[in-house]
Amino acid sequence: MTKRYPPINPKCPHFLHGGDYNPEQWLHMPEVLKEDLRLMKLAHCNAMSVGIFSWAALEPEEGRFTFDWLDRVMDDLANNGVFAVLATPSGARPAWMSQKYPEVLRVNADRTRILHGARHNHCYTSSVYREKTALINRKLAERYRNHPALLVWHISNEYGGQCHCALCQDAFRTWLKERYGSLEALNQAWWTAFWSHTYTDWSQIESPAPHGEWAIHGLNLDWKRFVTRQTTQFMKNEITPLRELTPNVPVTTNMMGTYSGLNYWKMAAELDVVSWDSYAPWHGVEEDWKLGSSVSFIHDIYRCLKGGRPFMLMESTPSNVNWQEVCKPKRPGMHRLSSLQAVAHGADTVQYFQWRKSRGSFEKFHGAVVDHVGHENTRVFHDVEEVGQILEKLDAVIGTTVHPEVAIIYDWENEWAIGDLQGLSRKRRDYGGTCVAQYRPFWSRGVPVDVISMDSDFASYRLLIAPILYMVRPGVAERIGKFVEKGGTFVATYWSGIVNESDLCFLGGFPGPLRKILGLWAEEIDVLHDGQTNVVIPVSKNGVGLTGRYKARELCDLIHAESAQVLAKYGLDFYKGRPALTVNEFGKGRAYYIASRNDDRFDDDFYEGLARGLGLKRVLGTRLPKGVTAQLRTDGKDEFVFLLNFQPAARRVNVGREGLSDMLTGKIVNGTVTLPAYGTLILRCPRAG
Ligand code: GLA
Ligand code: ZN
């Protein structure tokens, strides 16, 4: 079933390398624009993202369009072999528009309308803003539809936030009417009899507000769903003229990792290719390899958002950002490592924010390919140049993907519900961290993983892991049940199977619809303070190779094994001797339940046991040193192995297999190789058989 996806745009069957380019800031200094073209070539850049915040330069007065400068930029790019990732400008608007049509300005949750300023703050319902964006997008598409530079449409910029204006309230009510049909149904779903919050007229419904309704969990959840729906509609309105005029130019919008404000599983469906902006705080308090595995987790989400299709790394910094607590430059080697890491997980581009540092305003100290000094003799420029040279040697990797045997569920709606719940402990939820904790043991072993939603198809996997599957939407438990019955292995953690899609608790015993599959009843959950721990003691024949004692912290589910078999027990407190890890035979498969949040050693040993037991394929057959991962891309004929060392010191790796060659030097590689600090190695291997 392995195949090679076509390049993002067949016009360019190479990696895209480049960044956000803002020539409109330099129109008064034409020598700078000329120099940019020389530097782009030197940096081995072939794609620039233009127009992202150019609206004021493209339409300085209502209805007066000034494309001449962009014409020149597009021509210059094309004449220099550089493609344009052409943006629609809706991420920020000209002052005249806010002044003349205040409805385009967003209203905050406290119901104050913002003044004109900053960016990413429009109303996504306003028909004026929708008309204005559709018009400028149409003009752009009409003008550049046949331009040789046009490669990809970059829709807006980092959609996000919410608008609470009257137009949005009306649209929300209309959406709710469609969803529930009747107020009775809505009142039931939201459990509004609580605190006398019953609605008797649709007009009484308001979006959540700090000085109004914030206590109905069903409302909060539906509001977030609506925000995704409305943002997606706004985006589709932007896309319509582009698809009409340039049907062959792929459309993307740059997303923000696991940004919680939008359900990217929904938005991705409307795009041809997904892209994201990755800004990891390297060299911070957390060890780089741990952070690296969290970043890999997100890259894997992006590959899975389009079912395995390569994605774009739309933004990353060549050095530092300007908005983190501490804005540290990347240490030597980290730029190459983090760029190739994206590629290893399925990116077909390495792009930056930003090409050139602006001279003034908010982002003047944000890392860029070209610094204020203006020339190419900087460390950062050379780092970028090196990445460009490497990418030019990786054409064979374009369009390749991976078909993991393991999948972890990461679900935005689940995250919303977990974030909103009252109880347990505010800081102990950590849905994302719990997902990464289950992911890291595979990353460390070079076992590829898909990160999917609970609505994804599970059939192609052998191991399915659902960390804190608090919300279980209709049909999900049934599909998990089928997966296990047919021989699949399922792992769930504590605090799963608690609420339905409306955030109503399952009655009759947790984990609700997962109870039969897991063979247990979760009666209570203990919440531990900082420093408090319990111990998890494996039984002697636990079948997953657990030995010694493990530490449990933060959350300990107090469960009763029903049909499940107990593999480990708690060692302390009033629940000493009660199950801490169970397995249930279900059809031809097995379902494990990890009842407590455990130390890393537990996760590592447990998943090692599962991986061994299931004989999961590893990218390399050998043991990887701590902090080194191996990732795979393939077209079914050739395998491309990415060895990545996230340690600030050299590590030796036994590649184990025969027939590997270094893609950058062409040299045959076997036996043990040394990866320098933050070192990378890309190996090509014809697939056996
Ligand atoms: C985001 C935006 C960019 C820029 C960078 C800075 O990703 O899309 O315009 O502000 O952040 O890191
Ligand atoms: Zn609005």
Side-chain angles (χ1 to χ4, degrees):
M1 69 179 276
T2 312
K3 60 173 178 183
R4 184 186 283 271
Y5 288 95
I8 293 164
N9 183 335
K11 239 166 113 170
C12 177
H14 312 291
F15 273 86
L16 303 188
H17 184 228
D20 281 23
Y21 182 39
N22 298 106
E24 68 275 22
Q25 294 176 20
W26 302 93
L27 295 178
H28 60 295
M29 295 175 73
E31 68 283 5
V32 171
L33 301 184
K34 203 167 152 223
E35 178 68 351
D36 279 333
L37 297 166
R38 185 186 74 88
L39 293 170
M40 283 172 199
K41 276 193 197 147
L42 276 184
H44 295 252
C45 284
N46 63 358
M48 289 291 142
S49 306
V50 282
I52 298 175
F53 295 113
S54 305
W55 205 333
L58 292 173
E59 194 183 357
E61 285 167 40
E62 187 169 20
R64 184 165 71 81
F65 295 94
T66 44
F67 287 108
D68 46 318
W69 67 271
L70 186 55
D71 293 349
R72 282 198 305 276
V73 169
M74 292 288 280
D75 291 351
D76 283 345
L77 291 177
N79 293 335
N80 287 277
V82 179
F83 288 103
V85 174
L86 185 55
T88 68
S90 66
R93 61 193 165 275
W96 60 256
M97 196 187 299
S98 304
Q99 196 171 35
K100 180 159 178 202
Y101 306 103
E103 73 164 62
V104 304
L105 296 166
R106 191 166 282 187
V107 171
N108 290 327
D110 66 4
R111 290 2 184 210
T112 51
R113 197 180 284 280
I114 60 165
L115 300 179
H116 177 79
R119 60 172 180 174
H120 301 161
N121 51 17
H122 59 267
C123 169
Y124 38 63
T125 303
S126 155
S127 50
V128 172
Y129 205 54
R130 288 191 181 202
E131 276 162 30
K132 291 292 177 199
T133 49
L135 177 65
I136 186 103
N137 293 7
R138 179 170 292 280
K139 296 264 178 208
L140 282 167
E142 279 169 356
R143 193 150 188 114
Y144 302 112
R145 61 197 291 186
N146 296 317
H147 199 285
L150 177 63
L151 196 74
V152 175
W153 285 113
H154 178 299
I155 310 297
S156 199
N157 193 64
E158 294 193 337
Y159 284 120
Q162 317 180 337
C163 179
H164 297 259
C165 78
L167 300 170
C168 288
Q169 302 294 345
D170 275 348
F172 181 43
R173 290 180 200 118
T174 307
W175 179 79
L176 289 169
K177 277 183 200 157
E178 279 162 25
R179 183 172 173 84
Y180 290 104
S182 72
L183 261 190
E184 291 67 43
L186 174 142
N187 278 315
Q188 273 304 326
W190 290 2
W191 208 252
T192 52
F194 178 81
W195 286 355
S196 211
H197 287 198
T198 307
Y199 295 100
T200 52
D201 194 280
W202 292 99
S203 62
Q204 295 158 359
I205 301 174
E206 283 270 346
S207 61
H211 57 312
E213 187 62 271
W214 43 261
I216 301 178
H217 286 165
L219 162 68
N220 296 348
L221 198 58
D222 275 339
W223 169 250
K224 291 199 171 102
R225 290 187 173 119
F226 168 78
V227 169
T228 291
R229 179 333 266 243
Q230 205 67 350
T231 306
T232 306
Q233 295 281 11
F234 181 87
M235 181 179 81
K236 283 169 76 173
N237 182 69
E238 283 216 50
I239 293 173
T240 302
L242 311 179
R243 287 247 166 87
E244 182 194 315
L245 292 161
T246 57
N248 298 322
V249 179
V251 163
T252 191
T253 188
N254 51 339
M255 296 170 165
M256 300 177 275
T258 53
Y259 167 68
S260 73
L262 291 167
N263 182 351
Y264 287 148
W265 291 113
K266 297 262 183 221
M267 284 184 84
E270 306 299 334
L271 301 166
D272 298 310
V273 53
V274 290
S275 60
W276 80 286
D277 301 342
S278 177
Y279 294 105
W282 300 115
H283 320 302
V285 197
E286 193 179 27
E287 285 168 279
D288 282 328
W289 76 268
K290 283 203 158 181
L291 177 62
S293 62
S294 319
V295 175
S296 287
F297 175 80
I298 305 178
H299 284 313
D300 282 342
I301 296 180
Y302 279 80
R303 189 188 62 250
C304 294
L305 279 171
K306 294 300 269 181
R309 177 179 286 268
F311 58 92
M312 301 174 77
L313 177 64
M314 187 61 86
E315 291 180 25
S316 59
T317 175
S319 176
N320 52 347
V321 298
N322 70 333
W323 48 264
Q324 282 158 359
E325 186 90 337
V326 174
C327 304
K328 222 174 163 64
K330 286 176 170 170
R331 270 36 206 162
M334 183 47 89
H335 182 57
R336 185 191 51 228
L337 174 62
S338 56
S339 300
L340 291 180
Q341 177 188 18
V343 173
H345 289 274
D348 274 1
T349 79
V350 173
Q351 296 159 273
Y352 311 120
F353 180 87
Q354 49 189 338
W355 166 254
R356 177 186 280 277
K357 279 187 187 174
S358 50
R359 182 156 188 211
S361 208
F362 196 73
E363 294 185 318
K364 59 182 174 295
F365 297 127
H366 192 291
V369 181
V370 183
D371 211 327
H372 293 127
V373 71
H375 60 58
E376 67 271 32
N377 302 315
T378 63
R379 186 179 71 92
V380 170
F381 191 95
H382 292 310
D383 282 355
V384 168
E385 187 183 346
E386 183 196 12
V387 168
Q389 283 165 335
I390 292 174
L391 294 176
E392 282 169 1
K393 296 190 175 143
L394 300 183
D395 281 356
V397 176
I398 291 286
T400 56
T401 187
V402 62
H403 299 283
E405 297 179 306
V406 182
I408 296 180
I409 294 178
Y410 181 84
D411 195 278
W412 264 269
E413 291 196 351
N414 189 42
E415 195 245 346
W416 295 340
I418 293 170
D420 208 24
L421 79 90
Q422 282 298 303
L424 301 189
S425 146
R426 276 255 142 241
K427 58 178 191 182
R428 269 158 249 275
R429 316 259 170 92
D430 198 18
Y431 175 53
T434 308
C435 292
V436 173
Q438 317 305 304
Y439 175 87
R440 196 170 283 138
F442 298 98
W443 185 90
S444 296
R445 287 170 175 74
V447 175
V449 174
D450 269 355
V451 185
I452 61 175
S453 102
M454 68 173 91
D455 301 320
S456 307
D457 186 2
F458 309 139
S460 65
Y461 305 109
R462 299 183 57 214
L463 174 58
L464 175 66
I465 303 168
I468 323 187
L469 197 66
Y470 172 73
M471 174 191 284
V472 182
R473 290 195 292 274
V476 173
E478 292 72 10
R479 291 191 300 109
I480 293 174
K482 276 205 189 101
F483 168 81
V484 184
E485 267 173 355
K486 287 192 178 156
T489 301
F490 175 62
V491 178
T493 74
Y494 47 88
W495 205 236
S496 288
I498 311 287
V499 301
N500 71 5
E501 78 284 8
S502 302
D503 216 345
L504 295 178
C505 293
F506 291 116
L507 301 179
F510 299 141
L514 301 173
R515 186 168 172 183
K516 278 227 175 67
I517 304 167
L518 293 161
L520 57 94
W521 169 39
E523 185 186 352
E524 292 183 74
I525 184 161
D526 191 16
V527 189
L528 281 62
H529 285 278
D530 288 349
Q532 294 182 339
T533 52
N534 204 313
V535 288
V536 170
I537 306 169
V539 302
S540 56
K541 284 192 180 139
N542 57 70
V544 276
L546 297 180
T547 54
R549 293 153 81 89
Y550 300 92
K551 241 187 221 159
R553 59 195 159 84
E554 302 187 351
L555 297 169
C556 295
D557 238 350
L558 311 189
I559 61 173
H560 303 272
E562 293 176 326
S563 53
Q565 196 190 321
V566 178
L567 303 181
K569 297 175 182 174
Y570 291 113
L572 296 173
D573 216 324
F574 74 93
Y575 45 95
K576 176 177 174 181
R578 300 237 331 238
L581 174 72
T582 59
V583 65
N584 192 41
E585 309 279 335
F586 190 78
K588 291 189 195 146
R590 288 174 174 188
Y592 292 86
Y593 191 78
I594 305 174
S596 51
R597 185 170 284 169
N598 302 319
D599 54 9
D600 293 349
R601 196 172 64 85
F602 176 93
D603 294 331
D604 210 60
D605 285 0
F606 173 71
Y607 287 114
E608 168 69 21
L610 280 192
R612 266 176 198 273
L614 292 166
L616 296 179
K617 278 186 241 107
R618 301 175 193 218
V619 171
L620 295 178
T622 57
R623 211 186 141 81
L624 297 169
K626 182 169 153 192
V628 173
T629 189
Q631 300 292 333
L632 176 79
R633 292 182 66 170
T634 180
D635 61 357
K637 292 199 291 273
D638 283 312
E639 288 194 343
F640 303 97
V641 173
F642 292 77
L643 273 180
L644 309 170
N645 176 17
F646 285 83
Q647 298 283 10
R651 288 291 180 270
R652 288 169 68 74
V653 181
N654 176 0
V655 298
R657 332 178 2 174
E658 297 283 308
L660 299 168
S661 59
D662 181 333
M663 283 194 77
L664 303 186
T665 63
K667 285 198 186 120
I668 296 295
V669 175
N670 46 40
T672 299
V673 293
T674 299
L675 291 173
Y678 301 127
T680 55
L681 192 61
I682 312 167
L683 300 167
R684 181 175 188 154
C685 176
R687 228 167 106 148

